[in-house]
Coordinates of all heavy atoms in Angstrom, one line a residue:
M1 N 114.1 248.1 99.3 CA 114.0 249.2 98.4 C 113.6 250.3 99.4 O 112.8 250.1 100.3 CB 112.9 249.0 97.4 CG 112.5 250.3 96.8 SD 111.1 250.2 95.7 CE 111.5 248.9 94.5
L2 N 114.3 251.5 99.4 CA 114.0 252.7 100.1 C 113.2 253.6 99.2 O 113.7 253.9 98.0 CB 115.2 253.2 100.7 CG 116.0 252.4 101.7 CD1 117.3 253.2 102.0 CD2 115.1 252.1 102.9
V3 N 112.2 254.2 99.7 CA 111.5 255.2 98.9 C 111.4 256.6 99.6 O 111.5 256.6 100.8 CB 110.1 254.9 98.5 CG1 110.1 253.5 97.6 CG2 109.2 254.4 99.7
D4 N 111.1 257.6 98.9 CA 111.0 258.9 99.5 C 109.7 259.1 100.2 O 108.7 258.2 100.0 CB 111.1 260.0 98.5 CG 110.1 260.0 97.4 OD1 109.0 260.3 97.4 OD2 110.5 259.4 96.3
D5 N 109.3 260.1 100.9 CA 108.1 260.3 101.7 C 106.9 260.3 100.8 O 105.9 259.9 101.0 CB 108.3 261.6 102.5 CG 109.2 261.5 103.8 OD1 109.7 260.2 104.1 OD2 109.6 262.4 104.4
E6 N 107.0 261.1 99.7 CA 105.9 261.3 98.8 C 105.4 259.9 98.2 O 104.3 259.7 98.2 CB 106.3 262.2 97.6 CG 105.1 262.6 96.7 CD 105.5 263.6 95.7 OE1 106.4 264.3 95.9 OE2 104.8 263.5 94.7
T7 N 106.5 259.0 97.8 CA 106.1 257.7 97.3 C 105.5 257.0 98.4 O 104.5 256.2 98.2 CB 107.3 257.0 96.8 OG1 107.9 257.9 95.7 CG2 107.0 255.7 96.2
M8 N 106.1 257.1 99.6 CA 105.4 256.2 100.6 C 104.1 256.5 101.0 O 103.1 255.8 101.2 CB 106.4 256.2 101.9 CG 106.0 255.2 103.0 SD 106.5 253.7 102.4 CE 105.2 252.7 103.2
S9 N 103.7 257.8 101.1 CA 102.4 258.4 101.3 C 101.4 257.9 100.2 O 100.3 257.4 100.5 CB 102.3 259.9 101.2 OG 103.1 260.5 102.4
F10 N 101.8 257.9 98.9 CA 101.0 257.3 97.8 C 100.7 255.9 98.1 O 99.7 255.5 97.9 CB 101.7 257.6 96.5 CG 101.0 256.9 95.3 CD1 100.0 257.4 94.8 CD2 101.5 255.8 94.9 CE1 99.3 256.8 93.9 CE2 101.0 255.1 93.9 CZ 99.7 255.6 93.3
L11 N 101.7 255.1 98.5 CA 101.6 253.8 98.7 C 100.6 253.3 99.9 O 99.7 252.4 99.7 CB 102.9 253.0 98.9 CG 103.7 252.8 97.7 CD1 105.1 252.4 98.0 CD2 103.2 251.9 96.7
W12 N 100.8 254.1 101.0 CA 99.8 254.0 102.0 C 98.5 254.3 101.7 O 97.5 253.6 102.1 CB 100.2 254.8 103.3 CG 101.4 254.3 104.0 CD1 102.6 255.0 104.2 CD2 101.4 253.1 104.8 NE1 103.4 254.2 105.0 CE2 102.7 253.0 105.4 CE3 100.6 252.1 105.0 CZ2 103.0 251.9 106.2 CZ3 100.9 250.9 105.8 CH2 102.1 251.0 106.4
E13 N 98.3 255.2 100.9 CA 96.8 255.7 100.4 C 96.2 254.7 99.4 O 95.0 254.5 99.5 CB 96.8 257.1 100.0 CG 97.1 258.1 100.9 CD 97.2 259.5 100.4 OE1 96.9 259.7 99.2 OE2 97.8 260.4 101.0
T14 N 97.1 254.0 98.6 CA 96.5 253.3 97.5 C 96.8 251.8 97.6 O 96.0 251.1 97.0 CB 97.1 253.7 96.0 OG1 98.5 253.6 96.2 CG2 96.8 255.2 95.8
A15 N 97.7 251.4 98.4 CA 97.9 250.0 98.5 C 97.6 249.3 99.8 O 97.8 248.1 100.0 CB 99.5 249.7 98.3
T16 N 97.1 250.1 100.7 CA 96.5 249.6 101.9 C 95.1 249.1 101.8 O 94.3 249.9 101.4 CB 96.7 250.5 103.0 OG1 98.1 251.0 103.2 CG2 96.3 250.0 104.4
Q17 N 94.8 247.8 102.1 CA 93.5 247.4 102.1 C 92.6 247.9 103.2 O 93.1 247.8 104.3 CB 93.5 245.8 102.3 CG 92.1 245.2 102.2 CD 92.2 243.7 102.3 OE1 93.1 243.1 102.0 NE2 91.1 243.1 102.7
V18 N 91.6 248.4 102.9 CA 90.7 249.1 103.7 C 89.3 248.5 103.7 O 88.6 248.5 102.6 CB 90.6 250.7 103.6 CG1 89.7 251.2 104.7 CG2 91.9 251.3 103.7
D19 N 88.9 247.8 104.8 CA 87.5 247.1 104.7 C 86.6 247.9 105.8 O 87.1 248.1 106.9 CB 87.7 245.7 105.2 CG 88.5 244.9 104.2 OD1 88.3 245.1 103.0 OD2 89.3 244.2 104.7
T20 N 85.5 248.3 105.2 CA 84.5 248.8 106.1 C 83.5 247.7 106.7 O 83.2 247.0 106.0 CB 83.5 249.9 105.5 OG1 84.4 250.8 104.9 CG2 82.6 250.5 106.3
R21 N 83.4 247.7 108.0 CA 82.7 246.6 108.7 C 81.5 247.2 109.4 O 81.6 248.5 109.9 CB 83.4 245.9 109.7 CG 84.8 245.4 109.3 CD 84.5 244.0 108.5 NE 85.7 243.5 108.1 CZ 85.9 242.5 107.2 NH1 84.8 242.1 106.7 NH2 87.0 242.0 107.0
V22 N 80.5 246.5 109.7 CA 79.2 247.0 110.4 C 78.8 245.7 111.2 O 78.8 244.7 110.8 CB 78.2 247.5 109.5 CG1 77.7 246.5 108.5 CG2 77.0 248.3 110.3
S23 N 78.3 246.0 112.4 CA 77.6 245.1 113.3 C 76.1 245.3 113.2 O 75.6 246.3 113.3 CB 78.0 245.3 114.8 OG 77.5 244.2 115.5
M24 N 75.5 244.2 112.7 CA 74.0 244.3 112.6 C 73.3 244.0 113.9 O 73.5 243.1 114.6 CB 73.6 243.3 111.5 CG 74.3 243.3 110.2 SD 74.0 245.1 109.5 CE 72.3 244.9 109.0
D25 N 72.2 244.7 114.0 CA 71.3 244.6 115.2 C 70.3 243.4 114.9 O 69.5 243.7 113.8 CB 70.6 245.9 115.6 CG 69.6 245.7 116.7 OD1 69.1 244.6 117.0 OD2 69.3 246.8 117.3
P26 N 70.4 242.3 115.6 CA 69.5 241.2 115.1 C 68.0 241.5 115.1 O 67.2 240.8 114.5 CB 69.9 240.1 116.0 CG 70.6 240.6 117.2 CD 71.2 242.0 116.7
E27 N 67.7 242.4 116.1 CA 66.2 242.6 116.2 C 65.6 243.5 115.1 O 64.4 243.4 114.7 CB 65.9 243.3 117.6 CG 66.2 242.3 118.7 CD 65.9 243.0 120.0 OE1 65.3 244.1 120.1 OE2 66.4 242.4 121.1
T28 N 66.5 244.4 114.5 CA 66.0 245.5 113.5 C 66.5 245.0 112.3 O 65.9 245.6 111.2 CB 66.4 246.9 114.0 OG1 67.8 247.0 113.9 CG2 65.9 247.3 115.3
G29 N 67.6 244.3 112.1 CA 68.1 244.0 110.8 C 68.9 245.1 110.3 O 69.2 245.2 109.1
T30 N 69.3 246.2 111.0 CA 69.9 247.4 110.6 C 71.2 247.5 111.4 O 71.5 246.7 112.4 CB 69.1 248.7 110.7 OG1 68.8 248.9 112.1 CG2 67.8 248.6 109.9
A31 N 72.0 248.4 111.0 CA 73.3 248.5 111.6 C 73.1 249.0 113.1 O 72.2 249.7 113.4 CB 74.1 249.8 111.0
A32 N 73.8 248.3 114.0 CA 73.8 248.6 115.5 C 74.3 249.9 115.7 O 75.3 250.4 115.1 CB 74.4 247.5 116.2
K33 N 73.8 250.6 116.6 CA 74.2 252.1 116.9 C 75.8 252.1 117.2 O 76.2 251.4 118.1 CB 73.5 252.7 117.9 CG 73.7 254.1 118.2 CD 72.8 254.8 119.2 CE 73.3 256.2 119.5 NZ 72.3 257.0 120.1
G34 N 76.5 253.0 116.5 CA 77.9 253.0 116.9 C 78.8 251.8 116.5 O 79.9 251.7 116.8
Q35 N 78.3 251.0 115.5 CA 79.0 249.8 115.3 C 79.5 249.8 113.8 O 79.5 248.7 113.2 CB 78.2 248.5 115.6 CG 77.9 248.4 117.1 CD 79.1 248.1 117.7 OE1 80.0 247.4 117.5 NE2 79.4 248.9 118.8
L36 N 79.8 250.9 113.2 CA 80.4 251.0 111.9 C 81.8 251.4 112.1 O 82.3 252.2 112.9 CB 79.7 252.0 111.1 CG 80.3 252.2 109.8 CD1 80.0 251.1 108.8 CD2 79.6 253.5 109.1
W37 N 82.8 250.5 111.5 CA 84.3 250.8 111.6 C 85.0 250.3 110.5 O 84.4 249.7 109.5 CB 84.8 250.1 112.8 CG 84.9 248.6 112.9 CD1 86.0 247.9 112.4 CD2 83.8 247.7 113.1 NE1 85.6 246.5 112.5 CE2 84.5 246.4 112.9 CE3 82.5 247.7 113.5 CZ2 83.6 245.2 113.1 CZ3 81.9 246.6 113.8 CH2 82.4 245.4 113.5
T38 N 86.2 250.8 110.3 CA 87.1 250.4 109.1 C 88.4 249.6 109.7 O 88.8 249.9 111.0 CB 87.6 251.5 108.4 OG1 88.2 252.4 109.2 CG2 86.4 252.3 107.7
E39 N 88.8 248.7 109.0 CA 90.0 247.9 109.3 C 90.9 248.1 108.1 O 90.6 247.9 107.0 CB 89.7 246.5 109.5 CG 88.7 246.1 110.6 CD 88.3 244.7 110.7 OE1 88.6 243.9 109.7 OE2 87.7 244.3 111.6
E40 N 92.2 248.4 108.6 CA 93.3 248.5 107.5 C 94.2 247.3 107.6 O 94.7 247.0 108.7 CB 94.1 249.8 107.7 CG 93.2 251.1 107.5 CD 93.8 252.3 107.8 OE1 95.0 252.2 108.2 OE2 93.2 253.5 107.6
S41 N 94.6 246.9 106.5 CA 95.6 245.7 106.4 C 96.7 245.9 105.3 O 96.4 246.7 104.2 CB 94.8 244.4 106.0 OG 93.7 244.2 106.8
L42 N 97.7 245.4 105.5 CA 98.9 245.4 104.6 C 98.5 244.4 103.5 O 98.2 243.3 103.8 CB 100.2 245.4 105.2 CG 100.7 246.3 106.0 CD1 101.9 246.0 106.8 CD2 100.8 247.7 105.4
P43 N 98.9 244.6 102.3 CA 98.9 243.4 101.4 C 99.6 242.3 101.8 O 100.7 242.4 102.4 CB 99.5 244.0 100.1 CG 99.4 245.5 100.2 CD 99.4 245.7 101.7
A44 N 99.2 241.1 101.4 CA 99.9 239.7 101.8 C 101.4 239.7 101.4 O 102.2 239.2 102.2 CB 99.1 238.6 101.3
E45 N 101.8 240.4 100.4 CA 103.1 240.3 99.9 C 104.1 241.4 100.6 O 105.2 241.4 100.2 CB 103.2 240.5 98.4 CG 102.3 239.7 97.6 CD 100.9 240.0 97.5 OE1 100.6 241.2 97.9 OE2 100.2 239.2 97.2
T46 N 103.5 242.0 101.5 CA 104.3 243.2 102.2 C 105.5 242.6 102.9 O 105.5 241.6 103.7 CB 103.4 244.0 103.1 OG1 102.3 244.5 102.4 CG2 104.2 245.1 103.8
L47 N 106.7 243.2 102.8 CA 108.0 243.0 103.6 C 108.0 244.0 104.5 O 108.2 245.2 104.2 CB 109.0 242.9 102.7 CG 109.2 241.7 101.5 CD1 110.4 241.8 100.7 CD2 109.0 240.4 102.3
L48 N 108.2 243.6 105.8 CA 108.5 244.5 106.9 C 109.9 244.3 107.3 O 110.3 243.3 107.7 CB 107.5 244.3 108.1 CG 106.0 244.4 107.8 CD1 105.2 244.2 108.9 CD2 105.7 245.9 107.3
V49 N 110.7 245.3 107.1 CA 112.1 245.2 107.4 C 112.5 246.2 108.6 O 112.1 247.3 108.7 CB 113.0 245.6 106.1 CG1 114.4 245.5 106.4 CG2 112.6 244.8 104.9
G50 N 113.3 245.6 109.5 CA 113.8 246.4 110.6 C 115.1 245.9 111.0 O 115.6 244.8 110.6
V51 N 115.6 246.5 112.0 CA 116.9 246.1 112.6 C 116.6 245.7 114.0 O 115.9 246.4 114.8 CB 117.9 247.4 112.6 CG1 119.2 246.9 113.4 CG2 118.1 247.8 111.2
M52 N 117.0 244.6 114.5 CA 117.1 244.0 115.7 C 118.5 243.9 116.3 O 119.4 243.5 115.5 CB 116.3 242.8 115.8 CG 114.9 242.9 115.3 SD 113.9 241.4 115.6 CE 115.0 240.0 114.9
G53 N 118.6 244.1 117.5 CA 119.9 243.8 118.2 C 119.8 243.2 119.5 O 118.7 243.2 120.2
A54 N 120.7 242.5 119.9 CA 120.7 241.8 121.4 C 122.1 241.7 121.8 O 123.0 241.7 121.1 CB 120.1 240.4 121.1
T55 N 122.1 241.6 123.2 CA 123.3 241.2 123.7 C 123.1 240.0 124.6 O 122.1 239.7 124.8 CB 123.8 242.4 124.8 OG1 122.8 242.5 125.7 CG2 124.0 243.8 124.0
G56 N 124.2 239.4 125.0 CA 124.1 238.3 125.8 C 123.6 238.5 127.1 O 123.6 239.7 127.5
T57 N 123.1 237.6 127.9 CA 122.6 237.8 129.2 C 123.7 238.2 130.1 O 124.8 237.7 130.0 CB 121.9 236.7 129.9 OG1 122.7 235.6 129.7 CG2 120.6 236.3 129.0
F58 N 123.4 239.1 131.0 CA 124.5 239.7 132.0 C 124.0 239.7 133.4 O 124.7 240.3 134.2 CB 125.1 241.0 131.6 CG 124.2 242.0 131.3 CD1 123.6 242.8 132.3 CD2 123.7 242.2 130.0 CE1 122.7 243.8 132.1 CE2 122.8 243.2 129.7 CZ 122.3 244.1 130.8
N59 N 122.8 239.0 133.6 CA 122.3 239.0 135.0 C 122.9 237.7 135.7 O 123.6 237.0 135.1 CB 120.8 239.2 135.0 CG 120.2 238.0 134.2 OD1 120.8 237.1 133.8 ND2 118.8 238.1 134.0
K60 N 122.3 237.5 136.8 CA 122.8 236.5 137.7 C 121.9 235.1 137.3 O 122.0 234.2 138.1 CB 122.8 236.8 139.0 CG 123.7 237.9 139.4 CD 123.7 238.2 140.8 CE 124.7 239.4 141.1 NZ 125.0 239.7 142.5
A61 N 121.2 235.1 136.2 CA 120.5 234.0 136.0 C 121.4 232.7 135.8 O 122.5 232.9 135.3 CB 119.7 234.2 134.6
P62 N 120.8 231.6 136.1 CA 121.7 230.3 136.0 C 122.1 230.1 134.6 O 123.0 229.4 134.3 CB 120.9 229.3 136.7 CG 119.5 229.8 136.8 CD 119.6 231.2 136.7
R63 N 121.2 230.3 133.6 CA 121.4 230.1 132.3 C 121.7 231.2 131.4 O 121.1 232.2 131.4 CB 120.0 229.5 131.6 CG 120.2 229.1 130.3 CD 118.8 228.5 129.7 NE 118.8 228.5 128.3 CZ 117.7 228.8 127.6 NH1 116.5 229.1 128.1 NH2 117.8 228.6 126.3
K64 N 123.0 231.2 131.1 CA 123.7 232.4 130.3 C 123.4 232.1 128.8 O 123.6 231.0 128.3 CB 125.2 232.6 130.5 CG 125.5 232.8 132.0 CD 125.0 234.2 132.4 CE 125.5 234.5 133.8 NZ 125.0 235.8 134.2
L65 N 123.0 233.3 128.1 CA 122.8 233.2 126.7 C 123.6 234.1 125.9 O 123.8 235.2 126.3 CB 121.2 233.4 126.4 CG 120.2 232.5 127.0 CD1 118.8 233.2 126.7 CD2 120.3 231.1 126.5
A66 N 124.0 233.6 124.9 CA 124.7 234.6 123.9 C 123.8 235.4 123.1 O 122.6 235.1 123.2 CB 125.7 233.6 122.8
A67 N 124.2 236.4 122.4 CA 123.4 237.4 121.6 C 122.3 236.6 120.8 O 121.2 236.9 120.6 CB 124.1 238.4 121.0
D68 N 122.9 235.6 120.0 CA 122.1 234.9 119.0 C 121.1 234.1 119.8 O 119.9 234.1 119.3 CB 123.0 234.0 118.2 CG 123.8 234.7 117.2 OD1 123.6 235.8 117.0 OD2 124.6 234.0 116.5
A69 N 121.4 233.6 120.8 CA 120.4 232.8 121.6 C 119.3 233.7 122.2 O 118.1 233.1 122.4 CB 121.2 231.9 122.8
V70 N 119.6 234.7 122.5 CA 118.6 235.8 123.2 C 117.5 236.0 122.1 O 116.4 235.9 122.3 CB 119.3 237.1 123.6 CG1 118.2 238.1 123.9 CG2 120.1 236.7 124.8
L71 N 118.1 236.3 120.8 CA 117.1 236.6 119.8 C 116.3 235.3 119.4 O 115.0 235.4 119.2 CB 117.7 237.0 118.6 CG 118.3 238.5 118.6 CD1 119.0 238.8 117.2 CD2 117.2 239.5 118.8
D72 N 116.9 234.1 119.5 CA 116.2 232.9 119.1 C 115.3 232.6 120.3 O 114.0 232.1 120.0 CB 117.2 231.7 119.1 CG 118.0 231.7 117.8 OD1 117.5 232.4 116.8 OD2 118.9 231.0 117.7
A73 N 115.5 232.9 121.6 CA 114.6 232.7 122.6 C 113.4 233.6 122.6 O 112.3 233.3 122.8 CB 115.3 232.8 123.9
A74 N 113.8 234.8 122.1 CA 112.7 236.0 122.1 C 111.7 235.6 120.9 O 110.5 236.0 121.1 CB 113.3 237.3 121.9
F75 N 112.2 235.2 119.7 CA 111.3 235.1 118.6 C 111.2 233.7 118.1 O 110.4 233.4 117.1 CB 111.9 235.9 117.4 CG 111.9 237.4 117.7 CD1 113.1 238.0 118.0 CD2 110.7 238.1 117.6 CE1 113.1 239.4 118.3 CE2 110.7 239.4 118.0 CZ 111.8 240.0 118.2
G76 N 111.6 232.6 118.9 CA 111.5 231.3 118.4 C 112.3 230.8 117.4 O 112.1 229.6 116.9
G77 N 113.3 231.5 116.9 CA 114.2 231.0 115.8 C 113.8 231.4 114.5 O 112.6 231.8 114.3
E78 N 114.6 231.3 113.5 CA 114.3 231.8 112.1 C 113.3 230.9 111.4 O 113.3 229.8 111.8 CB 115.6 231.7 111.3 CG 115.4 232.3 110.0 CD 116.7 232.5 109.2 OE1 117.7 232.8 109.8 OE2 116.7 232.4 107.9
G79 N 112.3 231.6 110.7 CA 111.3 230.9 110.2 C 110.0 230.7 111.0 O 109.0 230.2 110.5
T80 N 110.1 231.2 112.3 CA 109.0 231.1 113.1 C 107.9 231.9 112.6 O 108.0 233.0 112.2 CB 109.4 231.7 114.5 OG1 110.3 230.9 115.1 CG2 108.2 231.7 115.5
V81 N 106.7 231.5 112.7 CA 105.5 232.1 112.2 C 105.0 233.1 113.4 O 104.7 232.4 114.5 CB 104.4 231.3 111.6 CG1 103.2 232.1 111.4 CG2 104.8 230.6 110.4
L82 N 104.9 234.4 113.3 CA 104.4 235.3 114.4 C 103.0 235.8 114.0 O 102.5 235.8 112.8 CB 105.3 236.4 114.5 CG 106.8 236.2 114.8 CD1 107.6 237.5 114.7 CD2 107.0 235.4 116.1
Q83 N 102.2 236.1 115.1 CA 100.9 236.6 114.9 C 101.0 238.1 115.5 O 101.3 238.4 116.6 CB 99.8 236.0 115.7 CG 98.5 236.7 115.9 CD 97.9 236.9 114.6 OE1 97.8 236.1 113.6 NE2 97.2 238.0 114.4
L84 N 100.8 239.1 114.6 CA 101.0 240.5 114.9 C 99.6 241.1 114.8 O 99.0 241.0 113.7 CB 102.0 241.2 114.1 CG 103.3 240.7 114.0 CD1 104.3 241.4 113.0 CD2 104.0 240.7 115.5
G85 N 99.2 241.9 115.8 CA 97.9 242.5 115.6 C 96.7 241.5 116.1 O 96.9 240.5 116.5
G86 N 95.5 242.0 115.6 CA 94.3 241.2 115.9 C 93.9 240.5 114.6 O 94.5 240.3 113.7
K87 N 92.6 239.8 114.8 CA 92.0 239.1 113.6 C 92.7 237.8 113.5 O 92.8 237.3 112.3 CB 91.8 239.8 112.4 CG 91.0 241.2 112.7 CD 89.6 240.9 113.0 CE 88.9 242.1 113.2 NZ 87.5 241.8 113.7
A88 N 93.3 237.2 114.4 CA 94.0 236.0 114.2 C 93.2 234.8 113.7 O 93.6 234.0 113.0 CB 94.7 235.5 115.4
T89 N 91.8 234.8 114.1 CA 91.0 233.8 113.7 C 90.6 233.8 112.2 O 90.1 232.8 111.7 CB 89.6 233.9 114.5 OG1 89.0 235.2 114.3 CG2 89.9 233.5 115.9
V90 N 90.9 234.8 111.5 CA 90.6 234.9 110.0 C 92.0 235.0 109.3 O 92.0 235.3 108.2 CB 89.7 236.1 109.7 CG1 88.3 235.8 110.2 CG2 90.3 237.5 110.2
G91 N 93.0 234.8 110.0 CA 94.3 234.7 109.4 C 95.1 235.9 109.1 O 96.1 236.0 108.5
R92 N 94.6 237.0 109.8 CA 95.3 238.4 109.6 C 96.6 238.4 110.5 O 96.6 237.8 111.6 CB 94.4 239.5 110.0 CG 93.2 239.6 109.1 CD 93.4 240.5 107.9 NE 92.4 240.5 107.0 CZ 91.4 241.5 107.0 NH1 91.5 242.4 107.7 NH2 90.5 241.5 106.1
G93 N 97.5 239.1 110.1 CA 98.7 239.4 111.0 C 99.8 238.2 111.0 O 100.5 238.3 111.8
R94 N 99.7 237.1 110.2 CA 100.6 236.2 110.2 C 101.9 236.5 109.5 O 101.7 237.0 108.4 CB 100.2 234.8 109.7 CG 98.8 234.2 110.4 CD 98.3 233.1 109.8 NE 99.3 232.0 109.5 CZ 99.6 231.0 110.2 NH1 99.1 230.8 111.3 NH2 100.5 230.2 109.7
C95 N 103.0 236.5 110.2 CA 104.3 236.8 109.5 C 105.3 235.8 109.9 O 105.2 235.2 110.9 CB 104.7 238.2 110.3 SG 103.7 239.5 110.0
R96 N 106.2 235.7 109.0 CA 107.3 234.7 109.2 C 108.6 235.5 109.4 O 108.9 236.5 108.7 CB 107.5 233.9 107.9 CG 108.6 232.7 108.2 CD 108.4 231.7 107.1 NE 108.7 232.3 105.7 CZ 109.5 231.9 104.9 NH1 110.4 231.0 105.2 NH2 109.5 232.5 103.6
L97 N 109.3 235.2 110.5 CA 110.5 235.9 110.8 C 111.7 235.2 110.1 O 111.9 234.1 110.2 CB 110.7 235.8 112.4 CG 111.9 236.4 113.0 CD1 112.0 238.0 112.7 CD2 112.2 236.0 114.4
L98 N 112.4 236.1 109.4 CA 113.7 235.7 108.7 C 114.7 236.6 109.2 O 114.5 237.8 109.3 CB 113.6 235.7 107.2 CG 112.4 234.7 106.6 CD1 112.4 234.9 105.1 CD2 112.8 233.3 106.9
A99 N 115.8 236.2 109.4 CA 117.1 237.0 109.8 C 118.3 236.9 108.9 O 118.5 235.9 108.3 CB 117.4 236.6 111.2
W100 N 119.0 238.0 108.9 CA 120.2 238.0 108.1 C 121.2 238.5 109.1 O 121.0 239.6 109.7 CB 120.1 238.9 106.9 CG 121.5 239.0 106.3 CD1 122.1 238.2 105.5 CD2 122.4 240.1 106.3 NE1 123.3 238.6 104.9 CE2 123.5 239.8 105.5 CE3 122.3 241.3 107.0 CZ2 124.6 240.6 105.5 CZ3 123.5 242.2 106.9 CH2 124.5 241.8 106.2
M101 N 122.1 237.7 109.3 CA 123.3 238.0 110.3 C 124.5 238.5 109.5 O 125.0 237.8 108.7 CB 123.6 236.9 111.3 CG 122.5 236.3 112.0 SD 121.8 237.5 113.2 CE 122.0 236.4 114.6
A102 N 125.0 239.8 109.7 CA 126.1 240.4 109.1 C 127.3 239.7 109.8 O 127.4 239.4 110.9 CB 126.1 241.9 109.3
P103 N 128.3 239.3 109.0 CA 129.5 238.7 109.6 C 130.2 239.8 110.5 O 130.1 240.9 110.2 CB 130.4 238.4 108.4 CG 129.8 239.0 107.2 CD 128.4 239.4 107.6
D104 N 130.7 239.4 111.6 CA 131.5 240.3 112.4 C 132.9 240.4 112.0 O 133.3 239.8 111.1 CB 131.4 239.9 114.0 CG 131.9 238.5 114.3 OD1 132.9 238.0 113.4 OD2 131.6 237.9 115.3
A105 N 133.6 241.2 112.8 CA 135.1 241.5 112.4 C 135.9 240.2 112.5 O 136.9 240.3 111.9 CB 135.5 242.6 113.2
R106 N 135.5 239.2 113.3 CA 136.3 238.0 113.4 C 136.0 237.0 112.3 O 136.6 235.9 112.4 CB 136.1 237.5 114.8 CG 136.5 238.3 115.9 CD 136.3 237.7 117.2 NE 134.9 237.5 117.5 CZ 134.1 238.4 117.9 NH1 134.4 239.6 118.3 NH2 132.9 238.1 118.2
G107 N 135.1 237.4 111.3 CA 134.8 236.3 110.3 C 133.7 235.5 110.6 O 133.4 234.5 109.9
G108 N 133.1 235.5 111.8 CA 131.8 234.6 112.3 C 130.6 235.3 111.9 O 130.5 236.2 111.1
R109 N 129.6 234.9 112.6 CA 128.3 235.4 112.4 C 128.2 236.8 113.1 O 128.7 237.0 114.0 CB 127.2 234.5 112.9 CG 127.0 233.2 112.1 CD 125.9 232.4 112.6 NE 124.6 233.2 113.0 CZ 123.6 232.6 113.2 NH1 123.4 231.3 113.3 NH2 122.6 233.3 113.6

């Protein structure tokens, strides 16, 4: 789905999870100086859509790869779980890569 700029601005302001965090000073039991921050996260159901392209290898490497193989090597193949951003230990930033390949003019992938 494509949306206009106004709708996208509304969604960024209202649908983005914002958590305020603070680091406590163990000696005083209060917020440590300068240790208040916010973290923004996309909802778990968010779809990130983009265009990726690749060409086959053309250097003098002994192993030549076709364009599909270059993408598979870079991203680990379709269905691979990627970690984007920080907070990996609490499960943030986990994404699954899915690809759709348009048929080319010869009727292949």
